[in-house]
Amino acid sequence: LTTRSHPLPPTVHGTGGAAPMPRTVAVVGAGAAGLVAARELLREGHAVTVFERSARVGGTWAYDPRSDPYPPCLDTAAPGAAAVHGSLYASLRTNLPRELMGFSGFALAGRVFAGDPRTFPGHREVLAFLDAFAVESGVAGRVRLRAEVVRVGPLAGHGERWTVAWRGEGGVEEEEEEVFDAVVVCNGHCTVPLVPKLRGIGNWQGKQMHSHNYRTPEPFQDQVQDAVSVTVSIVVVVGLGASGVDIAREISNVAKEVHIASRYTEDRLGKVDTFQNTWLHSEVDCIQDDGQVRFSEGSASIAADTFLYCTGYRYHFPFLDVEGVTVDGNRVGPLYKHVFPPKHAPNLSFVGLPVKTIMFQSFELESRWVARALSGRAELPGEEAMAAAVEEDYRRMDAAGKPKRHTHALMPDWVEYMDWVAAQVGEPPMEARRREIYEKALRCIWSLDDSYRDSWEEEEEEENR
Ligand code: FAD
């Protein structure tokens, strides 16, 4: 094990000029969040090193045809757990229009990066956009590929500096430690499945999988075994988020029946007009002794052969060796406004935790806030005041009946949060138009009518006429 300490370069150049207090900063992960974090840190004049475990930048948007076996990663300490980072399916198109998936000064709208000009492009287009962003922002030259961070902790005896232990493809043999002034954690949070514990799951004899492992619909295809007998797929999709809707639609084209179970379906239970062979149910009540699935609305129970959980992901930071930051019930905390642990602010931060918002925009705003807090151009309250604000946020969530596991889901106050972070870095509140586009996209996803992706432009023109 070798240890290096990072001196600052004699003159630090960023597009925004030298920061009042330039720092050496390690960014963990080169997905969309890590790339824009690095750009904002560079602009603020900091010296940046991005550690990326895989062989390329882009994170989630690098489609990986491999998938983890089920159960994947439920024991996150197990060898091979979460071996595959990505959770994209082959057919994936964005669920937000291009306009909401760019960065300031580097738009996804109005430019084509991989030959897919659609308003809701496929994943390759977004990946090519991120590649180009990394190059044109100057971040690519700061990324160390195949460099997995295995430990991040405060430097002994220097509470304010940080040790980052990382290794290359040589594994333990190649482990190295480096010291930085600050660490920004951007390791993504769509890898480790969050799987609900269904009542009676012990009675289940069929298959189970999570959307993390879903790539193509073929495994759900009816299979004719001989002239008379047919093995049919009857699939219960648990969860009705963007992935649940896409995947249910896709497998409904090949499976015998698809049953979607979600607590958000009460006003539209029954057959779905826009999909083949698909029914909406309320939550799964239990798996009966005979193995059939019962839903809580009391419809006839069904004999299914696969559970497909589209139930989201767990936050997971296996490399963090830091007192005072935990993941409890999928709440990462305590974190001041989802970014700074009060005890270690501003030198340890997290970019990209919030969901149910315009993610690329929140990555950028949070990153700018971190970059300026590190240089002293954005002032943070003291540790106690931040801790008290976190407690107050938790109290408000409790009072509103928001479950702990939804701590980082910004709905319904997503604009309030975005505007609050924007104000910390002197940016104006969100334009009403962006808010409307985002909320329209959410309504479209929920409508269970896939045609919105292709009719969006036309509808927009009509609305503006
Ligand atoms: P990631 O993209 O996951 O990047 C994290 C990076 O960190 C990875 O490259 C990983 O290899 C690296 N890493 C992890 N651990 C380590 C380590 N120990 N050391 C070094 N490197 C490490 N968002 C949208 O805005 N629009 C959409 O349409 C959309 N669709 C989605 C569809 C699906 C199926 C999924 C799963 C997500 C979707 N998202 C969408 C959300 C998506 O997660 C974000 O857009 C965004 O790409 C997340 O970026 P990130 O940088 O936070 O994480």
Side-chain angles (χ1 to χ4, degrees):
L1 187 87
T2 50
T3 304
R4 282 196 241 162
S5 187
H6 275 267
L8 269 174
T11 318
V12 182
H13 297 288
T15 47
M21 267 185 6
R23 303 292 184 92
T24 56
V25 187
V27 175
V28 183
L35 293 175
V36 76
R39 182 188 73 168
E40 294 303 317
L41 289 160
L42 288 172
R43 280 181 159 180
E44 193 63 13
H46 301 295
V48 181
T49 305
V50 183
F51 293 89
E52 169 51 51
R53 171 166 73 177
S54 76
R56 62 160 6 274
V57 303
T60 288
W61 293 97
Y63 171 71
D64 189 340
R66 298 171 306 155
S67 69
D68 286 316
Y70 191 89
C73 343
L74 296 182
D75 172 6
T76 49
V84 177
H85 180 82
S87 300
L88 293 192
Y89 27 98
S91 65
L92 183 130
R93 289 174 67 182
T94 63
N95 49 49
L96 296 181
R98 280 173 178 269
E99 206 173 333
L100 300 188
M101 291 191 60
F103 297 120
S104 64
F106 200 85
L108 177 57
R111 203 173 143 187
V112 178
F113 294 85
D116 180 354
R118 294 175 296 179
T119 307
F120 293 78
H123 50 80
R124 280 177 201 84
E125 180 71 11
V126 182
L127 183 63
F129 159 77
L130 291 173
D131 279 338
F133 174 72
V135 171
E136 292 182 33
S137 64
V139 167
R142 311 295 176 119
V143 181
R144 246 181 245 170
L145 296 174
R146 301 185 187 86
E148 177 179 13
V149 170
V150 290
R151 202 170 49 261
V152 167
L155 178 64
H158 292 80
E160 299 205 338
R161 302 197 79 204
W162 292 82
T163 304
V164 173
W166 64 279
R167 59 180 171 228
E169 286 184 323
V172 179
E173 297 294 304
E174 261 185 36
E175 203 165 294
E176 216 182 305
E177 274 187 358
E178 292 177 44
V179 176
F180 293 87
D181 294 325
V183 177
V184 185
V185 177
C186 305
N187 65 323
H189 47 79
C190 291
T191 295
V192 183
L194 188 64
V195 179
K197 283 198 184 74
L198 298 178
R199 205 154 63 91
I201 194 68
N203 300 325
W204 180 251
Q205 301 291 321
K207 278 188 250 166
Q208 298 182 71
M209 67 185 289
H210 186 275
S211 52
H212 170 63
N213 312 98
Y214 177 85
R215 297 292 178 270
T216 62
E218 282 75 38
F220 298 93
Q221 187 101 41
D222 290 353
Q223 290 164 28
V224 179
Q225 285 186 327
D226 55 47
V228 282
S229 75
V230 173
T231 308
V232 293
S233 281
I234 299 183
V235 184
V236 178
V237 173
V238 183
L240 195 58
S243 295
V245 172
D246 275 352
I247 294 173
R249 178 189 312 108
E250 189 161 79
I251 56 180
S252 75
N253 293 321
V254 297
K256 167 96 160 50
E257 289 176 17
V258 176
H259 295 266
I260 304 173
S262 162
R263 74 180 62 118
Y264 304 111
T265 52
E266 265 146 33
D267 51 346
R268 43 190 187 155
L269 296 174
K271 182 109 175 27
V272 180
D273 299 336
T274 44
F275 294 8
Q276 314 261 350
N277 314 320
T278 301
W279 287 261
L280 278 180
H281 300 267
S282 49
E283 286 172 283
V284 171
D285 175 37
C286 70
I287 292 102
Q288 301 172 169
D289 292 346
D290 62 2
Q292 296 211 355
V293 182
R294 194 161 73 209
F295 300 96
S296 40
E297 82 268 15
S299 58
S301 40
I302 59 155
D305 49 59
T306 305
F307 264 115
L308 205 168
Y309 302 108
C310 297
T311 39
Y313 295 90
R314 289 195 211 170
Y315 295 96
H316 187 48
F317 309 97
F319 49 83
L320 269 194
D321 185 9
V322 182
E323 238 175 71
V325 187
T326 57
V327 184
D328 174 21
N330 222 27
R331 167 183 285 173
V332 187
L335 288 183
Y336 180 58
K337 304 297 174 191
H338 307 278
V339 174
F340 291 109
K343 191 167 186 288
H344 304 288
N347 295 348
L348 179 67
S349 58
F350 294 76
V351 166
L353 300 194
V355 295
K356 303 278 189 272
T357 184
I358 305 173
M359 292 186 75
F360 280 33
Q361 191 175 352
S362 74
F363 298 165
E364 180 169 340
L365 287 171
E366 291 179 346
S367 298
R368 200 164 294 163
W369 187 31
V370 168
R372 293 200 187 178
L374 284 172
S375 67
R377 288 212 299 147
E379 208 178 322
L380 295 178
E383 181 183 335
E384 276 180 24
M386 280 192 275
V390 176
E391 283 306 317
E392 178 53 29
D393 283 345
Y394 292 166
R395 260 195 300 277
R396 281 192 6 223
M397 285 179 204
D398 284 348
K402 190 171 186 170
K404 196 187 218 178
R405 66 179 188 282
H406 293 168
T407 295
H408 305 291
L410 298 186
M411 283 291 166
D413 307 319
W414 70 283
V415 178
E416 199 178 276
Y417 174 78
M418 301 285 273
D419 288 351
W420 188 93
V421 182
Q424 307 312 300
V425 291
E427 299 281 332
M430 183 178 306
E431 289 164 45
R433 180 179 152 67
R434 286 179 76 78
R435 175 192 189 137
E436 282 158 19
I437 296 177
Y438 180 67
E439 290 178 348
K440 178 176 164 189
L442 289 189
R443 284 195 301 277
C444 287
I445 294 167
W446 276 71
S447 71
L448 300 180
D449 179 358
D450 186 36
S451 63
Y452 77 89
R453 285 187 168 105
D454 293 317
S455 59
W456 183 276
E457 299 267 273
E458 248 169 61
E459 272 182 34
E460 287 277 286
E461 277 168 26
E462 194 120 304
E463 280 165 24
N464 295 332
R465 214 172 278 150

